[in-house]
Amino acid sequence: MSFVDTLRHWDEAVTCVNRQDFSKALEIFLAIQEPNSKIFFDIGCLHLLNQDFDAAEKAFDCSIRKDEHLAIAFFQRGITFYKKKRYEESLADFQKTFKTLRGNQLIDYKALGLRYILYACDVLHNMALVEAQLGRWEKAQEYLMKALDYKTEARFNIIDKALQSILKQKLFKLVEFQSKEMFKPNKHYVAELEKKDYLGKAKVVASVVPQDEFSGFAPLQPQVEDGPTCPKEPVVLRALEGDPHTVLFEFIPETSDELAVVPGNIVFVLQKGADNWAYVVFNERKGLVPYNYLERLEISLASNKNKGITPPPSREPPTRPERIQGLTPREATSGNRQRQEKQSTDNSCIVKVHFNFNFVVSVPSGSPYTMLIEKISRKLNLPSSAVTLSLTSEASEQSVISANTEMEKLWSRASSGRVTLWCNTKEEEVHLVALHSYESSNPEDLSFQQGDKIKLLSKINQDWLEGQCNGNTGIFPASFVEEVPANSQ
C-alpha cells in the first residue's frame, strides 16, 4: 500500500472515530497493510475501548516495536496489563514509561497529532496503585511522595486523594488514557490528498460555429494559393434572443423593474412598447430601458472588421419618456409577470439600508413595521429580534424604529418613492446541552456532566468547540453536545 493510500485510510478511520463509529474505524485501520507506530497505537486504543485486551496488547506490542521511545504506548500497554490483572508486567511498563519521560514533568503529544498530555505524576500514581494491588503499601507510598515532586496544579488533588487512601490501605482509581483520542495524520499531508487542476480546461468564449464546444488546440493549416473565396454575404453573429442595440446614454433606474445601463453596453431588446420603453436583457438581467437611449446594432463579421462598434455620442441624453400603464412592455412569462405585479411601481417604496454593506428592499408604501422588519431580517438571514432599525446613523431613542413606532413618521420621509434607514444587529447567545458526560484529559479541556447547559464561545473546527460551563472555560468535543432551541433557552 502506498503512502498516499495509507494516509487516506488513516484519515477516514479518524473521521469515523469522531463520528463515534468505532467498528467502522477499526475495520479501516485493520485494512492498512503496513501500519506505523501511531496507527498501531490507534488500533490498540480501539481494542481497549471494546474490552478486547488480548488484541489491544498485541497492537501496543507492535507500536512499541516500531518506536521504542513512544512513552504513551508503554503507558497504554501498562493499563492493558493492569486490566488483565497481570500486575508485575503492568508495573514494568509504567516504569518504562517514567524512564522514557527522562525526568520531564510532562510530554505534550499535540505536535505529533494526539490531543493528550502525559504527566509524570500520573505515571507514578499508577505505579503506586499497582504496588498497592501487590500488597506493598510502603512502596506505593514512596511512589506517591515522589509524585508530589512532579505534580502539576491540575493533578494535585489526584495525588492527595491517593495518599489518603494509601494511609487507610485502600485502593484508588486508575488514571486512564482517553481511548477515544487518536493519533491523526499530518493535516498538511491530508490537504494534499485532493487532486488539484492547476491548468484548468480551455473554454470557448465566442465562436461563429453554432453550439461550438471545441476546447483543444488546432494545428497550423497549410497556406495555399487559390484557396476558397470568402463568402460575399456577411455571417451574422448569433444572439440568444432579441435584437441587439447599443446604449447611447447612461440610464439610472428609478423603479425596481428598470435596468441600469451605461454608454457602450450592448443590450438585446425583447419587446418594444408604444410608450417608447423597451424590455431588454443585459448580462442575464432583464428590465426596462427608454428606447430613445438605444440604437439598433447590425452585428456581422463584415461590420466588425470594417466599421467596429460606433462610439456613443457626447450630446445630452433625451428626456425620460413617460410610462403609460398598458403600453409599457412586460416580460411574457407568467413567473416574471407575477414578480412585476408584486413590484408594482404605483405604491411601492425602495428602502435603502446601511449595514456593513448596503442593500435595498422593496415594500409597499405605508407598510406596517412587521412587514418591513421581516423583509430586512430575511435579507440578512437573521431573526427579526436581532435587527434594530433607525432613521439616523446613530441609534437613539428618537431615531430607533420599533413595533411601537408610528410608521407615518417613516413613510413621510420618503422622497420619489425612496427612503433610507440604518441597521444594527446584535449577536444572540448560543447555548448547548451536554448529551454525555465529558471528563477533561488536558488542562485546557472543559469538564461537564450529562444535561449541563454550556454557553458557546467559539467554534474551533468541525470537531471541537470552546464554551463556558459552571464558571469554567475550555474546549470540548462537538459530538458530546447539541444546540438548545432559542425558544427554550
Side-chain angles (χ1 to χ4, degrees):
M1 181 178 287
S2 66
F3 173 73
V4 173
D5 291 334
T6 300
L7 201 65
R8 183 175 286 108
H9 280 70
W10 189 1
D11 183 57
E12 290 176 1
V14 171
T15 303
C16 290
V17 172
N18 293 335
R19 296 199 304 259
Q20 311 289 320
D21 191 356
F22 303 119
S23 59
K24 182 65 175 178
L26 185 58
E27 179 184 342
I28 297 174
F29 271 132
L30 294 177
I32 300 176
Q33 295 177 4
E34 297 180 2
N36 57 28
S37 61
K38 296 177 183 178
I39 294 176
F40 272 125
F41 178 86
D42 291 347
I43 294 172
C45 289
L46 289 175
H47 283 310
L48 199 59
L49 197 64
N50 294 333
Q51 303 295 313
D52 190 351
F53 301 128
D54 292 336
E57 179 186 346
K58 292 179 181 178
F60 292 130
D61 287 343
C62 294
S63 178
I64 292 169
R65 279 198 297 269
K66 292 279 186 177
D67 185 359
E68 60 183 9
H69 300 291
L70 193 61
I72 191 66
F74 283 109
F75 186 72
Q76 276 291 74
R77 193 173 69 173
I79 292 174
T80 305
F81 284 140
Y82 181 86
K83 293 190 174 183
K84 296 176 71 173
K85 298 184 178 180
R86 292 159 58 179
Y87 299 123
E88 292 291 351
E89 294 169 278
S90 175
L91 179 60
D93 269 349
F94 287 141
Q95 289 172 342
K96 290 177 183 177
T97 305
F98 186 74
K99 182 179 179 180
T100 312
L101 283 164
R102 300 179 181 179
N104 293 310
Q105 195 177 31
L106 55 88
I107 296 179
D108 190 349
Y109 285 94
K110 186 176 182 180
L112 298 179
L114 178 66
R115 293 178 55 86
Y116 187 76
I117 300 176
L118 179 62
Y119 294 93
C121 59
D122 286 347
V123 180
L124 291 167
H125 174 279
N126 285 358
M127 292 166 61
L129 177 60
V130 176
E131 292 285 8
Q133 287 282 8
L134 296 172
R136 300 195 285 259
W137 298 99
E138 292 182 0
K139 192 67 176 177
Q141 186 175 356
E142 289 180 14
Y143 281 131
L144 289 177
M145 295 301 296
K146 189 175 181 179
L148 291 176
D149 297 332
Y150 290 90
K151 72 180 186 297
T152 60
E153 184 178 351
R155 291 291 185 269
F156 178 74
N157 291 336
I158 298 176
I159 306 300
D160 191 35
K161 291 178 181 178
L163 276 171
Q164 293 177 8
S165 300
I166 288 293
L167 295 176
K168 299 176 183 178
Q169 293 193 355
K170 292 183 178 179
L171 298 177
F172 43 92
K173 188 177 179 182
L174 179 75
V175 174
E176 297 186 52
F177 172 83
Q178 295 287 339
S179 297
K180 296 179 183 179
E181 292 292 340
M182 299 283 155
F183 273 111
K184 298 180 180 179
N186 189 300
K187 61 181 180 180
H188 299 293
Y189 292 160
V190 174
E192 295 297 326
L193 291 177
E194 298 296 330
K195 294 182 179 180
K196 298 179 181 179
D197 184 6
Y198 292 99
L199 296 178
K201 184 179 179 181
K203 180 182 179 181
V204 175
V205 178
S207 174
V208 296
V209 181
Q211 298 180 349
D212 188 2
E213 295 180 354
F214 176 72
S215 60
F217 296 92
L220 293 174
Q221 302 297 324
Q223 302 295 319
V224 296
E225 296 181 1
D226 301 328
T229 58
C230 295
K232 295 181 180 180
E233 294 294 330
V235 181
V236 179
L237 295 178
R238 294 182 299 113
L240 293 178
E241 55 179 333
D243 297 324
H245 286 66
T246 302
V247 178
L248 301 178
F249 309 98
E250 181 181 6
F251 175 67
I252 300 175
E254 296 183 1
T255 60
S256 59
D257 58 351
E258 295 175 359
L259 187 64
V261 290
V262 296
N265 289 157
I266 296 179
V267 300
F268 291 87
V269 175
L270 303 179
Q271 295 180 33
K272 180 186 175 184
D275 57 353
N276 210 21
W277 283 86
Y279 194 80
V280 304
V281 57
F282 173 65
N283 283 351
E284 299 182 357
R285 295 182 294 115
K286 297 180 181 180
L288 293 171
V289 174
Y291 190 74
N292 54 356
Y293 280 53
L294 309 176
E295 182 181 63
R296 188 175 181 84
L297 178 64
E298 295 293 340
I299 302 180
S300 68
L301 291 180
S303 62
N304 287 341
K305 180 178 179 181
N306 300 325
K307 300 179 181 179
I309 297 176
T310 304
S314 58
R315 63 179 186 272
E316 291 296 323
T319 58
R320 172 190 172 97
E322 182 181 356
R323 290 176 57 175
I324 304 174
Q325 188 173 4
L327 300 181
T328 304
R330 291 288 187 273
E331 192 173 3
T333 60
S334 59
N336 288 323
R337 187 181 301 117
Q338 293 174 0
R339 181 182 64 193
Q340 291 170 357
E341 288 175 358
K342 292 180 181 179
Q343 297 177 344
S344 174
T345 59
D346 293 337
N347 63 345
S348 64
C349 183
I350 304 298
V351 181
K352 182 178 180 181
V353 183
H354 291 278
F355 187 51
N356 298 333
F357 54 90
N358 296 338
F359 61 93
V360 298
V361 294
S362 177
V363 296
S365 181
S367 298
Y369 171 79
T370 53
M371 180 182 294
L372 176 64
I373 195 68
E374 181 184 357
K375 278 215 170 187
I376 295 176
S377 60
R378 192 185 308 133
K379 192 84 171 182
L380 297 175
N381 198 21
L382 290 172
S384 57
S385 58
V387 178
T388 302
L389 301 178
S390 62
L391 297 172
T392 60
S393 57
E394 295 183 1
S396 62
E397 293 184 3
Q398 291 77 17
S399 63
V400 169
I401 302 173
S402 65
N404 299 324
T405 303
E406 294 183 1
M407 297 304 289
E408 289 80 2
K409 177 183 177 182
L410 168 63
W411 302 120
S412 63
R413 299 168 63 95
S415 176
S416 300
R418 295 171 179 268
V419 68
T420 302
L421 296 178
W422 280 259
C423 176
N424 295 305
T425 60
K426 57 180 180 180
E427 296 184 359
E428 295 185 343
E429 293 184 355
V430 178
H431 292 270
L432 311 171
V433 62
L435 300 176
H436 314 282
S437 298
Y438 178 70
E439 292 293 335
S440 62
S441 57
N442 301 313
E444 66 269 20
D445 288 358
L446 177 66
S447 297
F448 49 78
Q449 300 297 320
Q450 182 178 359
D452 283 353
K453 293 289 184 65
I454 304 168
K455 179 183 177 182
L456 179 64
L457 299 180
S458 65
K459 183 177 181 181
I460 300 174
N461 54 42
Q462 62 179 0
D463 300 323
W464 289 87
L465 306 174
E466 182 181 18
Q468 189 176 54
C469 179
N470 298 326
N472 299 319
T473 302
I475 62 175
F476 54 90
S479 58
F480 279 61
V481 297
E482 70 175 1
E483 185 173 345
V484 180
N487 55 6
S488 62
Q489 291 179 13

